[in-house]
């Protein structure tokens, strides 16, 4: 005789009537009538919205617009710097104080250019007293945008020429008024005009063309 089964015990494999397959009972409490079933939330990354696209997904048009936004302010700053602040203009100086100092020292007679056109710009001026004498240097930017320098000194000529011309050699006389000027080679791509006097040596040197060096030499007074 079979033992009595508890009233709340459900057989593991209950065979339903009419030959249908067995149904495995669910584990856990049964849902009450009308109670909504719990749905497990799916895990994983949320779909990207339109505003969450990465840079690699940007179109060439978007990238071009971003670059344009950066370049426009830079272009405006450059235009302001060049147009209003003179960004590409050389810094000029007044050589008067250096010339006056050289004259006050009285080491040698001092000449200065007169009558040069306004497009000759003075970019440096300095007088220096040293053991062997004194030296006045005035640097220019020529109308063609090249460099030229006027050197006046009572330092012994052999020492001065060796230092200023880096072993340059005389190339013959230069047909210039105001003394016996000589043409010299100089360092690198430079050339020089040299005037040797008993009390001083005058050198006009630079990478400017010879016609501009001649203009500077002729203007000395």
């Amino acid at each position: 005789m079979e033992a009595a089964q508890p009233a709340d015990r459900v057989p593991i494999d209950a065979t339903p009537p009419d030959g249908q397959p067995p149904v495995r009972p669910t584990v856990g409490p049964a849902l009450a009538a009308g109670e909504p079933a719990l749905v497990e939330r799916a895990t994983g990354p949320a779909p990207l919205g339109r505003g969450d696209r990465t840079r690699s997904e940007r179109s060439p048009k978007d990238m071009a617009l971003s670059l344009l936004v950066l370049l426009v302010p830079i272009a405006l700053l450059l235009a302001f710097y060049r147009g209003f602040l003179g960004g590409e203009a050389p810094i000029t100086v007044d050589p008067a104080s250096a010339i006056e100092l050289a004259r006050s020292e009285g080491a040698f007679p001092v000449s200065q250019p007169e009558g040069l056109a306004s497009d000759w710009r003075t970019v440096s001026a300095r007088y220096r007293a040293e053991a062997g004498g004194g030296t006045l240097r005035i640097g220019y930017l020529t109308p063609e945008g090249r460099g030229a320098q006027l050197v006046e000194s009572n330092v012994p000529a052999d020492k001065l020429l060796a230092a200023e011309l880096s072993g340059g050699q005389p190339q013959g006389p230069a047909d210039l008024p105001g003394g016996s000027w000589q043409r010299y080679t100089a360092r690198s791509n430079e050339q020089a005009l040299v005037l040797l006097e008993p009390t001083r040596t005058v050198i006009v040197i630079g990478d400017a063309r010879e016609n501009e060096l001649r203009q500077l030499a002729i203007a000395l007074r």
Side-chain angles (χ1 to χ4, degrees):
M1 187 176 196
E2 280 190 19
Q5 298 291 334
D8 58 349
R9 183 174 179 181
V10 180
I12 297 177
D13 287 326
T15 303
D18 300 330
Q20 297 197 13
V23 179
R24 187 176 297 274
T26 57
V27 180
L31 294 175
E35 182 178 349
L38 295 177
V39 179
E40 185 177 357
R41 181 173 297 176
T43 59
L48 294 176
R50 186 175 181 181
D52 297 329
R53 293 182 302 172
T54 61
R55 291 185 179 180
S56 61
E57 295 175 331
R58 291 181 180 175
S59 67
K61 181 180 179 181
D62 293 337
M63 297 178 67
L65 289 175
S66 300
L67 184 61
L68 184 63
V69 170
L70 293 175
L71 291 179
V72 167
I74 296 175
L76 291 175
L77 287 174
L78 287 175
F80 178 77
Y81 177 68
R82 293 177 179 177
F84 294 94
L85 301 182
E88 294 185 348
I91 299 175
T92 59
V93 301
D94 185 356
S97 59
I99 293 172
E100 289 303 318
L101 178 59
R103 284 175 174 165
S104 66
E105 291 288 325
F108 55 86
V110 177
S111 300
Q112 70 179 93
E114 295 180 4
L116 287 175
S118 59
D119 48 1
W120 280 81
R121 286 162 288 187
T122 307
V123 295
S124 64
R126 180 184 180 189
Y127 175 78
R128 178 181 177 184
E130 45 194 317
T135 302
L136 173 65
R137 301 177 187 275
I138 305 177
Y140 298 91
L141 188 66
T142 72
E144 294 184 1
R146 297 179 179 271
Q149 186 178 90
L150 168 65
V151 181
E152 301 179 52
S153 177
N154 68 334
V155 173
D158 55 348
K159 180 180 178 181
L160 181 68
L161 294 179
E164 298 296 328
L165 307 183
S166 299
Q169 299 298 318
Q171 302 296 304
D175 186 16
L176 291 171
S180 299
W181 289 85
Q182 298 288 321
R183 296 169 51 249
Y184 273 76
T185 59
R187 54 186 177 267
S188 186
N189 62 334
E190 296 181 341
Q191 54 186 333
L193 300 172
V194 177
L195 175 63
L196 298 174
E197 295 182 336
T199 57
R200 68 171 181 173
T201 300
V202 180
I203 303 174
V204 176
I205 184 174
D207 65 355
R209 294 194 297 178
E210 184 175 348
N211 67 313
E212 290 188 315
L213 296 180
R214 292 171 63 89
Q215 288 179 35
L216 181 55
I218 293 172
L220 292 177
R221 298 288 185 272

